[in-house]
Amino acid sequence: MLDAYAWAKLGLTPRFPAVDVTSEQRLHIITRGLLLDWATTTAPADNATAAAAINAGHALRAFDRRSTLSDLRARAYLLDAFRDFDDQDEDVDPHPHNCAGCCAGTGEVLTVLTWEHHGDGVYTTAHQEPILCYGAPTTHAPDCATCEGDGFTYTPGYRHLCLDGRIPVSGSATSSVAPQNA
């Protein structure tokens, strides 16, 4: 809330001409109203906070140049405005929640990158970390310059997943290599 308030005020100065003052002011009203609404639900006997939340809803309606509503609907308008504002971020979210690459919408997949070699082809997980999700199951390009299509690189005692030649299975690549599972 303070961040939106500060940017709304700083945007009025010539030092920050790129700040969208109207959007920041609207965000400040929404955030303040939601905090008051939350405070109202935690302390229902506090009539002053409830009135302030209602006033914030009416102020947001007035800011959006919309007609007034009942007090209850004005508070509901705050929640709707926040959901609409929050939905704008979905355009920059990497993937949907049911992503075929199994990232659950985060754009990253927790993947084993290094295995320790115990001899006779036995490897155990040594290191894993999140890597970029391509939005589909991946395969490895047979002409990868890093691993020569194997999908792995090797150092004494370890095997490492090669990330350079990963391609989505449903992508435009014409690889016939099956996905590497370890």
Side-chain angles (χ1 to χ4, degrees):
M1 181 175 88
L2 293 173
D3 186 52
Y5 178 78
W7 279 113
K9 293 298 180 190
L10 289 172
L12 296 174
T13 67
R15 293 184 64 200
F16 298 97
V19 175
D20 183 3
V21 175
T22 305
S23 176
E24 293 296 333
Q25 287 173 337
R26 186 173 191 272
L27 179 60
H28 175 71
I29 294 170
I30 293 170
T31 308
R32 182 177 180 279
L34 288 176
L35 287 173
L36 289 167
D37 188 60
W38 173 78
T40 300
T41 59
T42 58
D46 186 1
N47 293 331
T49 305
I54 291 168
N55 288 339
H58 289 305
L60 182 61
R61 292 285 295 185
F63 189 84
D64 291 343
R65 293 186 176 101
R66 297 194 175 208
S67 61
T68 59
L69 295 173
S70 67
D71 291 347
L72 185 61
R73 294 195 65 206
R75 280 178 61 187
Y77 184 74
L78 282 169
L79 293 173
D80 291 339
F82 174 71
R83 286 186 193 110
D84 290 342
F85 185 80
D86 192 41
D87 287 345
Q88 293 174 2
D89 293 340
E90 289 181 6
D91 298 338
V92 295
D93 284 344
H95 300 271
H97 291 290
N98 60 348
C99 173
C102 300
C103 70
T106 63
E108 295 179 334
V109 181
L110 188 61
T111 305
V112 176
L113 297 181
T114 305
W115 295 264
E116 186 175 4
H117 187 247
H118 295 281
D120 297 331
V122 176
Y123 292 92
T124 58
T125 300
H127 176 73
Q128 66 180 358
E129 65 183 60
I131 62 170
L132 182 66
C133 175
Y134 283 142
T138 58
T139 187
H140 204 82
D143 58 348
C144 176
T146 304
C147 68
E148 299 175 354
D150 182 37
F152 302 100
T153 58
Y154 299 89
T155 58
Y158 294 96
R159 176 176 75 175
H160 309 278
L161 183 65
C162 177
L163 299 177
D164 294 338
R166 292 183 339 141
I167 54 174
V169 172
S170 63
S172 59
T174 58
S175 174
S176 61
V177 177
Q180 300 287 333
N181 294 325

